[in-house]
């Protein structure tokens, strides 16, 4: 059963890139704020590519550092400075799984702080729900509750990428969404996450436009797996 709410494995030390100076004026501007779960496999680039196949101009900036929480980003100041100096359509926030009660409390506290900046800048905030480590798979319900409750409390969009992972495994438990370390995503995990993010932002009820032949990962996954990931992503997103 698809869980939803009615209501190239690659590491870098960090990721902070410049907003493209030649970005089209009509482009959709997205700021990603997170940690290695965002910059592994360059998730923002995957979202941008999905948009391009859909005929959308998307300009992205990523501010992500290893092990950073939203509290770390808030205290560091770089993310807030970027939000205040440039108008973004969407600000996508992500920290660790945050299943433990104290982590849930911190996620909510700092999501509220970032929400205030988003409101001032007229940007839509998005909470990108991640996943627990493979060894802590029992934490999925806690991760879901943590991100969903924070999204509800801050009037943010809830992007249930971690739920999409569970739904993929209900279709085929052998699909390797984790990378070698059992926590960071493999390419399949990043792809279904990117599809879920794009479907959330664009309110898509299908990803039929995403022809595998047009994608940079066309030689990496099968047509059958590509179709499964697309179907799961749109069916997981709250409508």
């Amino acid at each position: 059963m698809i869980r939803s709410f009615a209501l190239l494995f690659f590491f870098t030390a960090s990721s902070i890139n410049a907003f493209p100076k030649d970005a089209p004026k009509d482009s959709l501007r997205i700021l990603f704020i997170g940690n290695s779960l965002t910059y592994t496999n360059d998730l923002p680039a995957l979202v941008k590519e999905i948009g391009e196949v859909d005929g959308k101009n998307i300009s992205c900036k990523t501010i992500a550092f290893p092990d950073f929480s939203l509290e770390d980003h808030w205290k560091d100041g770089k993310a807030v400075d970027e939000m205040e100096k440039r108008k973004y359509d969407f600000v996508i926030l992500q920290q660790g799984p945050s299943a433990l009660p104290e982590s849930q409390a911190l996620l909510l506290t700092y999501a509220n702080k970032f929400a205030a900046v988003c409101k001032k800048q007229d940007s839509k905030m998005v909470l990108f729900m991640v996943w627990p480590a493979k060894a802590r798979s029992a934490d999925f319900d806690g991760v879901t509750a943590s991100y969903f409750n924070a999204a509800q409390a801050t009037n943010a969009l809830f992007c249930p990428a971690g739920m999409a992972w569970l739904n993929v495994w209900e279709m085929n438990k052998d699909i390797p969404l984790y990378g070698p370390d059992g926590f960071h995503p493999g390419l399949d995990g990043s792809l279904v996450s990117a599809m879920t993010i794009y479907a959330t932002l664009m309110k898509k009820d299908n990803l039929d436009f995403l022809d595998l032949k047009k994608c940079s990962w066309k030689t990496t996954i099968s047509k059958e797996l590509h179709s499964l990931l697309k179907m799961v992503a749109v069916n997981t997103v709250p409508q």
Side-chain angles (χ1 to χ4, degrees):
M1 178 185 297
I2 295 288
R3 296 173 175 83
S4 61
F5 280 102
L7 328 159
L8 329 174
F9 192 63
F10 177 70
F11 286 102
T12 59
S14 64
S15 180
I16 180 166
N17 53 23
F19 192 82
K21 294 181 179 179
D22 58 348
K25 291 183 178 180
D26 62 345
S27 66
L28 191 69
R29 297 180 173 217
I30 304 175
L31 175 63
F32 287 83
I33 299 171
N35 55 37
S36 55
L37 298 182
T38 287
Y39 67 68
T40 296
N41 299 316
D42 201 347
L43 177 69
L46 296 176
V47 173
K48 176 179 171 63
E49 181 174 352
I50 292 169
E52 289 173 346
V53 177
D54 195 25
K56 308 289 186 186
N57 288 318
I58 296 180
S59 299
C60 295
K61 182 179 176 70
T62 304
I63 300 176
F65 303 103
D67 301 320
F68 257 47
S69 66
L70 295 189
E71 179 182 13
D72 295 322
H73 277 293
W74 184 263
K75 293 179 177 178
D76 174 74
K78 293 183 180 69
V80 174
D81 287 347
E82 179 64 25
M83 292 169 67
E84 291 180 336
K85 77 179 182 183
R86 183 174 287 113
K87 170 70 170 63
Y88 285 94
D89 298 289
F90 296 101
V91 176
I92 301 177
L93 298 165
Q94 165 267 315
Q95 64 175 28
S98 308
L100 297 175
E102 56 269 31
S103 299
Q104 293 190 28
L106 284 171
L107 175 61
L108 180 57
T109 294
Y110 286 91
N112 270 295
K113 291 180 182 292
F114 277 101
V117 182
C118 284
K119 184 176 181 180
K120 180 181 177 182
Q121 298 300 108
D122 194 27
S123 300
K124 186 62 179 176
M125 191 168 87
V126 183
L127 286 180
F128 162 31
M129 174 204 163
V130 292
W131 45 86
K134 188 174 184 179
R136 298 188 61 88
S137 59
D139 286 349
F140 264 102
D141 286 347
V143 179
T144 302
S146 185
Y147 278 84
F148 179 74
N149 291 338
Q152 290 286 96
T154 58
N155 194 32
L157 288 177
F158 172 58
C159 179
M163 291 172 60
W165 280 40
L166 287 177
N167 290 331
V168 168
W169 285 325
E170 284 203 353
M171 301 293 180
N172 184 339
K173 63 182 178 60
D174 296 322
I175 294 175
L177 301 180
Y178 287 110
D181 70 350
F183 180 47
H184 290 87
L187 181 60
D188 295 350
S190 291
L191 281 174
V192 74
S193 298
M195 292 173 185
T196 304
I197 289 171
Y198 190 78
T200 300
L201 301 187
M202 298 292 101
K203 303 185 186 305
K204 291 286 188 179
D205 60 7
N206 71 75
L207 294 174
D208 293 346
F209 66 87
L210 195 58
D211 187 336
L212 181 58
K213 291 181 291 185
K214 299 178 180 179
C215 300
S216 63
W217 53 87
K218 61 188 175 184
T219 61
T220 308
I221 69 173
S222 68
K223 182 177 180 181
E224 292 73 23
L225 177 56
H226 184 68
S227 296
L228 186 152
L229 297 182
K230 292 194 299 181
M231 180 272 293
V232 167
V234 295
N235 286 332
T236 305
V237 172
Q239 299 297 324

